[in-house]
Amino acid sequence: MQKLVESFIATANAFDVEGALSLFAADAVIDDVSVGDTFVGRDGVRKYLERFFVGYSTKSRLLSLEELDDLHSNVRLDFTGDFGHEVGILKIAINSDGLIERMDADLE
């Protein structure tokens, strides 16, 4: 999980949407309470990355990673960008192929 999270941060920080998308399952879901929307499938994940990472010049820094079991982790990130500064939590679930199948996001 550590490697997957580090890959997500690196690709998102580089605004490499295709690279970040490769970490998600085809039917992945991102539910972001802080923006009040859910993004479904690769098209939804692409829209989320383009809008909230590329669009706001968001850079992330890992603060902590708590592995709950082999398939679930809670990740705390420091976000900076055109919006200012925020700290957020990503609850990540991966599938048996090691791809992100669900990400629940919220700000502290």
XYZ file of all heavy atoms in Angstrom:
838
model
N 0.823 -1.193 0.000
C 0.000 0.000 0.000
C 0.872 1.262 0.000
O 0.531 2.227 -0.674
C -0.923 -0.014 1.212
C -1.937 1.085 1.227
S -3.229 1.038 -0.029
C -4.315 -0.177 0.642
N 1.969 1.227 0.722
C 2.873 2.382 0.771
C 3.327 2.771 -0.634
O 3.289 3.949 -1.004
C 4.093 2.058 1.652
C 5.102 3.190 1.773
C 4.746 4.212 2.830
O 4.097 3.880 3.820
N 5.167 5.443 2.634
N 3.736 1.780 -1.425
C 4.209 2.054 -2.781
C 3.095 2.635 -3.649
O 3.319 3.566 -4.425
C 4.771 0.781 -3.407
C 5.355 0.996 -4.777
C 5.933 -0.278 -5.350
C 6.442 -0.019 -6.758
N 6.954 -1.200 -7.401
N 1.893 2.098 -3.532
C 0.751 2.595 -4.300
C 0.451 4.049 -3.943
O 0.254 4.891 -4.825
C -0.478 1.724 -4.043
C -1.758 2.150 -4.736
C -1.651 1.977 -6.250
C -2.936 1.354 -4.193
N 0.436 4.363 -2.665
C 0.165 5.731 -2.215
C 1.261 6.670 -2.706
O 0.972 7.766 -3.206
C 0.014 5.789 -0.678
C 0.000 7.222 -0.177
C -1.250 5.054 -0.251
N 2.508 6.240 -2.593
C 3.609 7.079 -3.074
C 3.519 7.295 -4.586
O 3.798 8.398 -5.071
C 4.957 6.466 -2.687
C 5.236 6.564 -1.208
C 6.474 5.801 -0.765
O 7.105 5.098 -1.598
O 6.814 5.904 0.423
N 3.108 6.276 -5.323
C 2.926 6.420 -6.773
C 1.795 7.385 -7.091
O 1.903 8.204 -8.006
C 2.639 5.072 -7.417
O 3.755 4.231 -7.336
N 0.703 7.290 -6.342
C -0.403 8.217 -6.553
C 0.049 9.652 -6.306
O -0.227 10.544 -7.113
C -1.603 7.867 -5.657
C -2.699 8.883 -5.743
C -3.507 8.950 -6.872
C -2.905 9.796 -4.725
C -4.510 9.907 -6.974
C -3.904 10.754 -4.818
C -4.704 10.811 -5.942
N 0.731 9.891 -5.203
C 1.200 11.239 -4.886
C 2.144 11.745 -5.977
O 2.011 12.875 -6.450
C 1.887 11.271 -3.495
C 0.846 11.020 -2.397
C 2.613 12.599 -3.272
C 1.444 10.770 -1.025
N 3.092 10.913 -6.393
C 4.075 11.332 -7.405
C 3.404 11.669 -8.735
O 3.708 12.706 -9.343
C 5.131 10.247 -7.605
N 2.485 10.822 -9.188
C 1.844 11.087 -10.478
C 0.897 12.282 -10.388
O 0.857 13.107 -11.308
C 1.095 9.847 -11.006
O 0.164 9.393 -10.021
C 2.054 8.731 -11.370
N 0.160 12.406 -9.289
C -0.745 13.546 -9.130
C 0.048 14.850 -9.031
O -0.326 15.859 -9.629
C -1.634 13.353 -7.905
N 1.161 14.830 -8.287
C 1.986 16.034 -8.154
C 2.623 16.446 -9.475
O 2.888 17.625 -9.705
C 3.086 15.836 -7.103
C 2.560 15.927 -5.684
O 1.416 16.296 -5.447
N 3.400 15.575 -4.730
N 2.862 15.470 -10.348
C 3.433 15.758 -11.676
C 2.335 16.095 -12.691
O 2.636 16.353 -13.858
C 4.241 14.554 -12.165
N 1.067 16.106 -12.234
C -0.089 16.334 -13.103
C -0.122 15.318 -14.247
O -0.583 15.615 -15.341
C -0.139 17.774 -13.612
C -0.017 18.794 -12.500
C 0.985 19.733 -12.515
C -0.893 18.769 -11.431
C 1.112 20.651 -11.481
C -0.785 19.687 -10.385
C 0.230 20.632 -10.414
N 0.355 14.110 -13.944
C 0.366 12.993 -14.890
C -0.950 12.228 -14.727
O -1.022 11.233 -14.006
C 1.577 12.103 -14.606
C 1.642 10.865 -15.486
O 0.771 10.693 -16.375
O 2.557 10.049 -15.268
N -1.986 12.721 -15.370
C -3.318 12.138 -15.220
C -3.326 10.685 -15.673
O -3.897 9.817 -14.999
C -4.368 12.980 -15.974
C -5.731 12.292 -15.974
C -4.471 14.369 -15.355
N -2.688 10.384 -16.796
C -2.663 9.001 -17.286
C -1.949 8.076 -16.305
O -2.390 6.945 -16.066
C -2.015 8.926 -18.669
C -2.805 9.617 -19.760
C -4.227 9.101 -19.894
O -4.440 7.875 -19.817
O -5.134 9.936 -20.088
N -0.837 8.534 -15.752
C -0.107 7.741 -14.777
C -0.934 7.475 -13.531
O -0.966 6.357 -13.013
N -1.634 8.505 -13.046
C -2.489 8.338 -11.873
C -3.652 7.405 -12.189
O -3.999 6.539 -11.384
C -2.997 9.692 -11.388
N -4.243 7.564 -13.373
C -5.358 6.690 -13.770
C -4.961 5.223 -13.792
O -5.782 4.351 -13.496
C -5.865 7.082 -15.160
C -6.895 8.184 -15.236
C -7.178 8.530 -16.693
C -8.166 7.819 -14.515
N -3.715 4.934 -14.129
C -3.260 3.545 -14.203
C -3.275 2.859 -12.835
O -3.181 1.640 -12.749
C -1.862 3.473 -14.808
O -0.881 3.929 -13.894
N -3.412 3.617 -11.762
C -3.437 3.072 -10.404
C -4.853 2.699 -9.954
O -5.030 2.121 -8.889
C -2.841 4.088 -9.423
C -1.422 4.567 -9.751
C -1.019 5.687 -8.812
C -0.434 3.413 -9.696
N -5.855 3.055 -10.776
C -7.255 2.847 -10.429
C -7.865 1.712 -11.249
O -7.577 1.574 -12.431
C -8.061 4.125 -10.688
C -7.810 5.217 -9.683
C -6.714 6.050 -9.808
C -8.672 5.410 -8.616
C -6.470 7.063 -8.897
C -8.441 6.422 -7.694
C -7.333 7.246 -7.838
N -8.752 0.953 -10.619
C -9.539 -0.056 -11.324
C -10.488 0.644 -12.294
O -10.855 1.809 -12.086
C -10.336 -0.890 -10.320
N -10.905 -0.057 -13.327
C -11.792 0.521 -14.343
C -13.117 0.997 -13.750
O -13.703 1.967 -14.216
C -12.054 -0.488 -15.457
N -13.589 0.335 -12.686
C -14.865 0.699 -12.062
C -14.681 1.438 -10.735
O -15.566 1.455 -9.886
C -15.723 -0.542 -11.857
C -15.047 -1.581 -10.962
O -13.835 -1.449 -10.664
O -15.729 -2.543 -10.553
N -13.531 2.082 -10.563
C -13.209 2.776 -9.317
C -14.215 3.880 -9.008
O -14.844 4.450 -9.911
C -11.806 3.370 -9.391
N -14.329 4.190 -7.720
C -15.203 5.259 -7.245
C -14.390 6.174 -6.334
O -13.679 5.697 -5.445
C -16.401 4.686 -6.451
C -17.226 5.796 -5.823
C -17.259 3.815 -7.347
N -14.501 7.482 -6.570
C -13.973 8.476 -5.638
C -15.170 9.234 -5.094
O -15.921 9.852 -5.851
C -12.990 9.455 -6.308
C -11.764 8.721 -6.833
C -12.580 10.546 -5.311
C -10.760 9.609 -7.564
N -15.355 9.169 -3.791
C -16.422 9.903 -3.117
C -15.749 10.978 -2.276
O -15.084 10.673 -1.292
C -17.257 8.968 -2.246
C -18.454 9.659 -1.611
O -18.742 10.829 -1.966
O -19.103 9.040 -0.763
N -15.887 12.236 -2.692
C -15.227 13.344 -2.005
C -16.276 14.221 -1.331
O -16.934 15.038 -1.979
C -14.388 14.162 -2.987
C -13.462 15.148 -2.295
O -13.816 15.628 -1.195
O -12.379 15.429 -2.838
N -16.429 14.025 -0.034
C -17.410 14.769 0.750
C -17.120 16.269 0.698
O -18.044 17.075 0.635
C -17.416 14.261 2.219
C -18.328 15.094 3.091
C -17.804 12.798 2.266
N -15.850 16.635 0.665
C -15.485 18.055 0.702
C -15.945 18.820 -0.531
O -16.151 20.031 -0.474
C -13.975 18.225 0.906
O -13.254 17.706 -0.190
N -16.126 18.139 -1.661
C -16.637 18.797 -2.871
C -18.086 18.406 -3.149
O -18.700 18.912 -4.074
C -15.755 18.530 -4.114
C -14.344 19.027 -3.874
C -15.761 17.079 -4.521
N -18.616 17.487 -2.343
C -20.018 17.101 -2.459
C -20.353 16.331 -3.720
O -21.445 16.474 -4.266
N -19.414 15.486 -4.171
C -19.666 14.760 -5.411
C -18.975 13.403 -5.384
O -18.013 13.191 -4.651
C -19.170 15.563 -6.606
C -19.937 15.278 -7.889
O -20.711 14.296 -7.929
O -19.746 16.030 -8.860
N -19.486 12.501 -6.214
C -18.909 11.173 -6.383
C -18.507 11.017 -7.840
O -19.233 11.444 -8.739
C -19.934 10.085 -6.000
O -20.317 10.289 -4.634
C -19.359 8.698 -6.149
N -17.353 10.419 -8.073
C -16.790 10.254 -9.409
C -16.622 8.761 -9.664
O -15.954 8.073 -8.896
C -15.452 10.990 -9.509
C -15.594 12.459 -9.176
C -15.577 12.890 -7.865
C -15.788 13.393 -10.176
C -15.726 14.233 -7.548
C -15.942 14.732 -9.884
C -15.909 15.156 -8.565
N -17.239 8.262 -10.748
C -17.337 6.821 -10.986
C -16.627 6.438 -12.282
O -16.795 7.100 -13.311
C -18.812 6.385 -11.031
C -18.927 4.891 -11.297
C -19.523 6.766 -9.736
N -15.861 5.348 -12.212
C -15.181 4.811 -13.390
C -13.990 5.659 -13.802
O -13.690 6.688 -13.199
N -13.288 5.196 -14.826
C -12.090 5.912 -15.282
C -12.405 7.341 -15.726
O -11.640 8.259 -15.465
C -11.406 5.139 -16.407
C -10.688 3.898 -15.921
C -9.182 4.122 -15.903
N -8.505 3.089 -15.152
C -8.070 1.959 -15.662
N -8.263 1.682 -16.921
N -7.444 1.091 -14.897
N -13.564 7.530 -16.391
C -13.928 8.879 -16.823
C -14.150 9.793 -15.628
O -13.733 10.950 -15.633
C -15.175 8.863 -17.707
C -14.905 8.265 -19.082
O -13.728 8.194 -19.500
O -15.883 7.862 -19.746
N -14.792 9.279 -14.602
C -15.018 10.055 -13.391
C -13.728 10.376 -12.666
O -13.516 11.509 -12.207
N -12.851 9.386 -12.551
C -11.558 9.604 -11.893
C -10.739 10.629 -12.678
O -10.120 11.526 -12.100
C -10.786 8.274 -11.716
C -9.371 8.523 -11.211
C -11.541 7.339 -10.776
N -10.766 10.525 -14.004
C -10.061 11.508 -14.838
C -10.582 12.922 -14.561
O -9.817 13.857 -14.374
C -10.219 11.179 -16.317
C -9.573 12.210 -17.253
C -9.893 11.948 -18.707
N -9.460 10.630 -19.142
C -8.207 10.305 -19.442
N -7.259 11.200 -19.354
N -7.915 9.082 -19.831
N -11.900 13.060 -14.530
C -12.509 14.366 -14.280
C -12.061 14.910 -12.914
O -11.736 16.090 -12.778
C -14.030 14.255 -14.331
C -14.749 15.575 -14.173
C -16.258 15.416 -14.147
C -16.755 14.915 -15.488
N -18.227 14.859 -15.552
N -12.052 14.037 -11.907
C -11.640 14.430 -10.564
C -10.189 14.915 -10.567
O -9.885 15.980 -10.037
C -11.799 13.241 -9.609
C -11.451 13.540 -8.176
C -12.366 14.170 -7.343
C -10.220 13.177 -7.646
C -12.064 14.438 -6.019
C -9.913 13.434 -6.330
C -10.830 14.067 -5.514
O -10.521 14.336 -4.212
N -9.294 14.146 -11.162
C -7.876 14.513 -11.208
C -7.659 15.811 -11.980
O -6.892 16.675 -11.538
C -7.056 13.383 -11.827
C -6.986 12.083 -11.030
C -6.423 10.962 -11.895
C -6.183 12.259 -9.755
N -8.323 15.936 -13.115
C -8.147 17.140 -13.927
C -8.697 18.378 -13.223
O -8.090 19.445 -13.262
C -8.812 16.969 -15.292
C -8.050 15.989 -16.169
C -8.733 15.660 -17.490
O -9.937 16.009 -17.661
O -8.067 15.050 -18.353
N -9.832 18.235 -12.561
C -10.454 19.387 -11.905
C -9.742 19.778 -10.613
O -9.433 20.947 -10.406
C -11.917 19.089 -11.600
C -12.642 20.310 -11.005
C -14.083 20.042 -10.652
N -14.826 19.529 -11.784
C -16.015 18.932 -11.679
N -16.562 18.761 -10.492
N -16.634 18.489 -12.740
N -9.472 18.816 -9.741
C -9.013 19.150 -8.395
C -7.508 19.049 -8.198
O -6.984 19.609 -7.236
C -9.751 18.304 -7.364
C -11.223 18.559 -7.382
C -12.102 17.613 -7.872
C -11.738 19.776 -6.969
C -13.460 17.851 -7.926
C -13.095 20.039 -7.018
C -13.964 19.073 -7.499
N -6.803 18.381 -9.064
C -5.354 18.335 -8.971
C -4.726 19.242 -10.021
O -4.048 20.205 -9.675
C -4.834 16.892 -9.056
C -5.064 16.130 -7.777
C -6.296 15.524 -7.531
C -4.091 16.046 -6.808
C -6.532 14.851 -6.343
C -4.318 15.376 -5.613
C -5.536 14.781 -5.385
N -4.970 18.985 -11.288
C -4.407 19.827 -12.348
C -5.008 21.230 -12.274
O -4.282 22.229 -12.274
C -4.644 19.201 -13.743
C -4.131 20.118 -14.837
C -3.992 17.826 -13.837
N -6.331 21.330 -12.193
C -7.022 22.616 -12.226
C -6.658 23.564 -11.096
O -6.664 24.783 -11.278
N -6.338 23.023 -9.932
C -5.985 23.853 -8.777
C -4.494 23.802 -8.454
O -4.071 24.262 -7.398
C -6.780 23.420 -7.540
C -8.229 23.818 -7.588
C -9.213 22.903 -7.951
C -8.628 25.115 -7.275
C -10.550 23.263 -8.001
C -9.956 25.491 -7.314
C -10.923 24.555 -7.681
O -12.240 24.922 -7.725
N -3.706 23.233 -9.360
C -2.248 23.101 -9.147
C -1.945 22.478 -7.790
O -1.054 22.918 -7.064
C -1.555 24.460 -9.279
O -1.765 25.007 -10.559
N -2.691 21.432 -7.459
C -2.569 20.797 -6.147
C -1.300 19.954 -6.051
O -0.995 19.155 -6.930
C -3.794 19.902 -5.880
O -4.967 20.713 -5.922
C -3.697 19.205 -4.536
N -0.596 20.157 -4.962
C 0.556 19.329 -4.599
C 0.237 18.668 -3.267
O -0.306 19.304 -2.358
C 1.837 20.165 -4.464
C 2.265 20.850 -5.743
C 2.805 19.869 -6.749
C 3.305 20.586 -7.988
N 3.921 19.701 -8.932
N 0.579 17.400 -3.148
C 0.286 16.627 -1.938
C 1.573 16.150 -1.295
O 2.542 15.853 -1.979
C -0.556 15.398 -2.295
O -1.697 15.764 -3.011
N 1.524 16.063 0.036
C 2.651 15.516 0.798
C 2.081 14.546 1.823
O 1.142 14.872 2.551
C 3.412 16.649 1.482
C 4.646 16.193 2.261
C 5.434 17.386 2.790
N 4.641 18.262 3.635
C 4.513 18.135 4.951
N 5.098 17.137 5.591
N 3.777 18.988 5.632
N 2.653 13.355 1.863
C 2.198 12.326 2.795
C 2.540 12.711 4.221
O 3.686 13.007 4.537
C 2.855 10.980 2.441
C 2.460 9.792 3.306
C 0.986 9.466 3.172
C 3.317 8.581 2.946
N 1.518 12.706 5.080
C 1.724 12.943 6.501
C 1.728 11.641 7.282
O 2.547 11.456 8.177
C 0.642 13.890 7.046
C 0.623 15.286 6.448
C -0.582 16.070 6.965
C 1.919 16.029 6.755
N 0.801 10.738 6.940
C 0.769 9.435 7.606
C -0.025 8.446 6.775
O -0.858 8.824 5.955
C 0.152 9.546 9.005
O -1.214 9.912 8.929
N 0.266 7.173 7.017
C -0.439 6.086 6.349
C -0.690 5.003 7.381
O 0.247 4.505 7.998
C 0.395 5.532 5.191
C -0.289 4.485 4.321
C 0.227 4.588 2.902
C -0.079 3.092 4.840
N -1.954 4.677 7.583
C -2.347 3.626 8.520
C -2.959 2.488 7.721
O -4.019 2.650 7.112
C -3.369 4.174 9.522
C -3.914 3.129 10.458
C -5.083 3.633 11.298
O -5.631 4.705 11.009
O -5.439 2.913 12.247
N -2.272 1.352 7.677
C -2.806 0.183 6.978
C -3.755 -0.548 7.922
O -3.349 -1.024 8.973
C -1.666 -0.725 6.521
C -0.849 -0.095 5.408
C 0.119 -1.061 4.751
O -0.208 -2.257 4.652
O 1.187 -0.593 4.323
N -5.030 -0.602 7.532
C -6.043 -1.253 8.359
C -6.028 -2.756 8.162
O -6.276 -3.514 9.096
C -7.419 -0.675 8.033
C -7.521 0.849 8.181
C -8.879 1.336 7.704
C -7.254 1.272 9.611
N -5.773 -3.189 6.924
C -5.586 -4.592 6.565
C -4.916 -4.602 5.197
O -4.453 -3.549 4.739
C -6.904 -5.392 6.596
C -7.980 -4.840 5.674
O -7.640 -4.355 4.561
O -9.162 -4.894 6.042
N -4.863 -5.742 4.534
C -4.160 -5.819 3.248
C -4.809 -4.996 2.143
O -4.158 -4.684 1.142
C -4.066 -7.277 2.786
C -3.116 -8.088 3.644
O -2.303 -7.490 4.374
O -3.193 -9.328 3.580
N -6.091 -4.647 2.303
C -6.820 -3.972 1.225
C -7.320 -2.568 1.570
O -7.870 -1.889 0.708
C -8.021 -4.827 0.791
C -7.699 -6.236 0.294
C -8.992 -6.991 -0.004
C -6.799 -6.207 -0.923
N -7.119 -2.125 2.821
C -7.671 -0.836 3.255
C -6.638 -0.028 4.040
O -5.957 -0.580 4.904
C -8.902 -1.055 4.142
C -9.992 -1.787 3.452
N -10.064 -3.147 3.437
C -11.044 -1.337 2.726
C -11.133 -3.521 2.739
N -11.733 -2.440 2.286
N -6.589 1.263 3.721
C -5.690 2.168 4.433
C -6.339 3.526 4.604
O -7.174 3.945 3.795
C -4.382 2.363 3.661
O -3.603 1.206 3.678
N -5.924 4.214 5.648
C -6.270 5.611 5.857
C -4.999 6.422 5.646
O -3.970 6.148 6.266
C -6.809 5.854 7.266
C -8.179 5.243 7.466
O -8.923 5.035 6.516
N -8.515 4.957 8.707
N -5.086 7.395 4.755
C -3.927 8.205 4.387
C -4.230 9.655 4.731
O -5.298 10.174 4.389
C -3.632 8.070 2.876
C -2.451 8.918 2.473
C -3.407 6.607 2.510
N -3.297 10.294 5.415
C -3.436 11.715 5.761
C -2.434 12.489 4.912
O -1.248 12.164 4.897
C -3.171 11.910 7.245
C -3.523 13.274 7.748
C -3.564 13.279 9.294
N -3.876 14.597 9.756
C -2.988 15.442 10.258
N -1.730 15.077 10.403
N -3.352 16.651 10.641
N -2.942 13.501 4.193
C -2.119 14.266 3.263
C -2.202 15.754 3.541
O -3.235 16.265 3.980
C -2.574 14.029 1.813
C -2.416 12.624 1.251
C -3.113 12.523 -0.095
C -0.958 12.262 1.117
N -1.116 16.433 3.241
C -1.047 17.890 3.276
C -1.203 18.362 1.832
O -0.449 17.922 0.953
C 0.317 18.305 3.845
C 0.453 19.799 3.987
O -0.086 20.323 4.973
O 1.087 20.423 3.116
N -2.206 19.194 1.571
C -2.474 19.690 0.219
C -2.188 21.187 0.146
O -2.620 21.945 1.013
C -3.953 19.499 -0.159
C -4.404 18.084 -0.240
C -5.261 17.558 0.719
C -4.021 17.269 -1.287
C -5.720 16.254 0.638
C -4.470 15.957 -1.380
C -5.318 15.457 -0.420
N -1.481 21.601 -0.909
C -1.323 23.016 -1.213
C -1.658 23.219 -2.684
O -1.551 22.299 -3.492
C 0.110 23.517 -0.934
O 1.037 22.718 -1.684
C 0.457 23.454 0.551
N -2.078 24.424 -3.006
C -2.412 24.738 -4.389
C -3.034 26.108 -4.490
O -2.935 26.913 -3.553
N -3.697 26.370 -5.605
C -4.318 27.673 -5.838
C -5.397 28.002 -4.814
O -5.793 29.157 -4.670
C -4.925 27.723 -7.243
C -3.873 27.653 -8.337
O -2.676 27.889 -8.045
O -4.246 27.350 -9.485
N -5.882 27.015 -4.093
C -6.915 27.179 -3.068
C -6.322 27.538 -1.711
O -7.047 27.849 -0.780
C -7.720 25.881 -2.928
C -6.829 24.694 -2.673
C -6.416 24.368 -1.398
C -6.368 23.940 -3.741
C -5.566 23.294 -1.177
C -5.530 22.862 -3.534
C -5.119 22.545 -2.248
N -4.999 27.426 -1.550
C -4.354 27.671 -0.264
C -3.764 26.386 0.292
O -3.046 25.676 -0.401
N -4.121 26.080 1.530
C -3.550 24.930 2.235
C -4.653 24.192 2.983
O -5.485 24.807 3.643
C -2.487 25.426 3.230
C -1.933 24.343 4.078
N -2.271 24.192 5.404
C -1.076 23.332 3.802
C -1.633 23.142 5.899
N -0.913 22.598 4.948
N -4.646 22.872 2.867
C -5.614 22.020 3.567
C -4.926 20.716 3.962
O -3.937 20.320 3.355
C -6.808 21.664 2.665
C -7.631 22.828 2.198
C -8.545 23.412 3.260
O -8.702 22.787 4.338
O -9.100 24.482 3.006
N -5.493 20.054 4.960
C -5.079 18.703 5.323
C -6.286 17.810 5.093
O -7.415 18.171 5.437
C -4.600 18.626 6.788
C -4.329 17.179 7.202
C -3.356 19.479 6.990
N -6.048 16.665 4.472
C -7.160 15.789 4.141
C -6.872 14.337 4.449
O -5.724 13.936 4.666
N -7.944 13.569 4.461
C -7.883 12.132 4.713
C -8.401 11.405 3.480
O -9.455 11.763 2.936
C -8.763 11.735 5.917
C -8.353 12.493 7.172
C -8.751 10.222 6.129
C -7.011 12.116 7.737
N -7.674 10.397 3.027
C -8.125 9.516 1.967
C -8.261 8.119 2.559
O -7.291 7.573 3.083
C -7.121 9.469 0.810
C -6.774 10.762 0.109
C -5.727 10.509 -0.980
C -8.014 11.407 -0.483
N -9.461 7.574 2.495
C -9.674 6.184 2.879
C -9.620 5.405 1.583
O -10.475 5.573 0.713
C -11.010 6.011 3.584
C -11.064 6.730 4.916
C -12.389 6.542 5.595
C -12.361 7.284 6.925
N -13.615 7.077 7.663
N -8.599 4.567 1.448
C -8.340 3.878 0.188
C -8.607 2.383 0.344
O -8.134 1.752 1.295
C -6.886 4.108 -0.267
C -6.646 5.591 -0.516
C -6.570 3.290 -1.511
C -5.203 5.941 -0.838
N -9.361 1.845 -0.614
C -9.584 0.396 -0.704
C -9.047 -0.055 -2.048
O -9.315 0.570 -3.075
C -11.067 0.073 -0.589
N -8.258 -1.138 -2.028
C -7.722 -1.684 -3.271
C -8.360 -3.042 -3.539
O -8.878 -3.691 -2.631
C -6.178 -1.802 -3.240
C -5.711 -2.759 -2.144
C -5.545 -0.429 -3.078
C -4.214 -3.074 -2.193
N -8.301 -3.441 -4.801
C -8.827 -4.752 -5.160
C -7.700 -5.787 -5.126
O -6.556 -5.468 -4.795
C -9.539 -4.717 -6.521
C -8.624 -4.356 -7.670
O -7.389 -4.482 -7.596
N -9.213 -3.912 -8.768
N -8.017 -7.019 -5.478
C -7.028 -8.101 -5.420
C -5.898 -7.922 -6.432
O -4.847 -8.549 -6.308
C -7.709 -9.457 -5.612
O -8.378 -9.483 -6.863
N -6.096 -7.058 -7.432
C -5.043 -6.752 -8.410
C -4.140 -5.618 -7.950
O -3.218 -5.223 -8.669
C -5.661 -6.385 -9.765
C -6.381 -7.553 -10.407
O -5.926 -8.707 -10.228
O -7.406 -7.316 -11.073
N -4.420 -5.052 -6.771
C -3.599 -3.967 -6.245
C -3.951 -2.601 -6.809
O -3.172 -1.657 -6.680
N -5.136 -2.486 -7.413
C -5.590 -1.210 -7.969
C -6.607 -0.567 -7.029
O -7.365 -1.262 -6.346
C -6.226 -1.418 -9.343
C -5.301 -1.968 -10.420
C -6.096 -2.287 -11.681
C -4.161 -1.005 -10.719
N -6.631 0.740 -7.019
C -7.577 1.464 -6.170
C -8.986 1.243 -6.714
O -9.267 1.545 -7.864
C -7.254 2.976 -6.136
C -5.849 3.198 -5.558
C -8.315 3.725 -5.324
C -5.316 4.616 -5.742
N -9.868 0.703 -5.852
C -11.251 0.511 -6.268
C -12.174 1.527 -5.628
O -13.255 1.802 -6.134
C -11.729 -0.909 -5.992
C -11.846 -1.280 -4.541
C -12.331 -2.714 -4.346
O -12.522 -3.430 -5.349
O -12.524 -3.107 -3.189
N -11.743 2.108 -4.514
C -12.550 3.140 -3.859
C -11.643 4.074 -3.073
O -10.700 3.636 -2.414
C -13.584 2.513 -2.926
C -14.484 3.565 -2.303
C -15.684 2.970 -1.603
N -16.485 4.063 -1.073
C -17.507 4.599 -1.705
N -17.893 4.146 -2.869
N -18.193 5.577 -1.151
N -11.973 5.362 -3.166
C -11.272 6.376 -2.395
C -12.328 7.316 -1.818
O -13.090 7.915 -2.565
C -10.288 7.147 -3.292
C -9.465 8.173 -2.567
S -8.354 9.080 -3.695
C -7.131 7.821 -4.061
N -12.389 7.363 -0.506
C -13.261 8.303 0.175
C -12.384 9.443 0.675
O -11.453 9.224 1.451
C -13.990 7.627 1.338
C -14.994 6.596 0.848
O -16.010 7.000 0.289
O -14.726 5.377 1.008
N -12.685 10.656 0.207
C -11.844 11.810 0.506
C -12.630 12.837 1.308
O -13.816 13.063 1.075
C -11.347 12.434 -0.799
N -11.937 13.473 2.243
C -12.537 14.563 3.021
C -11.408 15.425 3.569
O -10.260 14.969 3.687
C -13.395 14.010 4.158
C -14.412 15.021 4.670
O -14.462 16.161 4.171
O -15.163 14.665 5.594
N -11.748 16.649 3.907
C -10.789 17.566 4.527
C -11.013 17.573 6.020
O -12.132 17.365 6.495
C -10.948 18.975 3.945
C -10.702 19.104 2.447
C -11.022 20.517 1.982
C -9.273 18.726 2.094
N -9.952 17.822 6.747
C -10.089 17.912 8.214
C -10.766 19.208 8.609
O -10.757 20.176 7.912
C -8.716 17.842 8.872
C -8.104 16.491 8.807
C -6.817 16.324 9.607
O -6.214 17.333 10.010
O -6.439 15.193 9.825
